[in-house]
Amino acid sequence: MRERHPRDLRERVNVAETLAEHAGDSVCHLQTTGRTSGRPRTIEIWFATDGKRIYMLAGGRHQAHWVRNLNVDPSVRVRVGGRTLSGTGRVIEGEEREELARHLVAAKYQHWSEGRPLSAWAAGSLPVEVAFD
């Protein structure tokens, strides 16, 4: 078993602290790598967090350029609260946390609550998760 270096633990705590501090921020900035250009591409996007990961919904589904970019190169950077975090993005449709992603984003931006139906946008958009290294 690999022994944890103290810096590894500190970085994890900082990610969790950053996500907790800025969970209510209106947007984050997601940087992907252009699938054909290889250049950094940054968008401003709505997000929600469970304290460990960030979730986003792509209204353009698989046609959204940022989704197409992360499908080719899943390494992403997320800027939130003035801090840049490195992570790995992936589509989570059909997976265990899909419902969580939809509910967190809908609750934050559309005042969704348990027992109510999701909006067409929240129900039909492509859920994406960013996990941090």
Side-chain angles (χ1 to χ4, degrees):
M1 185 165 148
R2 182 176 155 247
E3 188 175 325
R4 233 180 229 215
H5 188 276
R7 192 179 84 209
D8 293 340
L9 183 58
R10 185 177 68 242
E11 287 174 1
R12 287 205 189 284
V13 169
N14 288 339
V15 167
E17 287 175 3
T18 298
L19 294 179
E21 280 179 37
H22 299 284
D25 288 9
S26 60
V27 296
C28 70
H29 292 89
L30 175 70
Q31 183 183 82
T32 59
T33 301
R35 64 195 171 282
T36 55
S37 71
R39 294 174 44 182
R41 301 292 182 202
T42 303
I43 62 164
E44 186 176 86
I45 189 166
W46 286 355
F47 76 100
T49 181
D50 65 358
K52 299 176 199 163
R53 293 167 290 273
I54 282 182
Y55 301 100
M56 299 164 236
L57 298 177
R61 298 194 48 84
H62 291 286
Q63 295 305 310
H65 289 279
W66 65 273
V67 172
R68 293 168 68 187
N69 290 345
L70 71 81
N71 282 334
V72 171
D73 182 352
S75 297
V76 299
R77 298 178 79 190
V78 177
R79 193 170 70 244
V80 60
R83 179 124 191 258
T84 301
L85 307 170
S86 296
T88 304
R90 66 189 191 90
V91 173
I92 58 169
E93 189 167 53
E95 295 186 17
E96 184 180 337
R97 286 191 293 273
E98 174 184 357
E99 186 175 331
L100 173 66
R102 292 183 190 286
H103 289 175
L104 286 173
V105 174
K108 182 175 178 180
Y109 295 100
Q110 299 180 323
H111 307 292
W112 174 85
S113 60
E114 199 67 43
R116 293 182 54 210
L118 289 170
S119 69
W121 173 78
S125 294
L126 189 68
V128 174
E129 169 189 272
V130 175
F132 298 98
D133 308 329

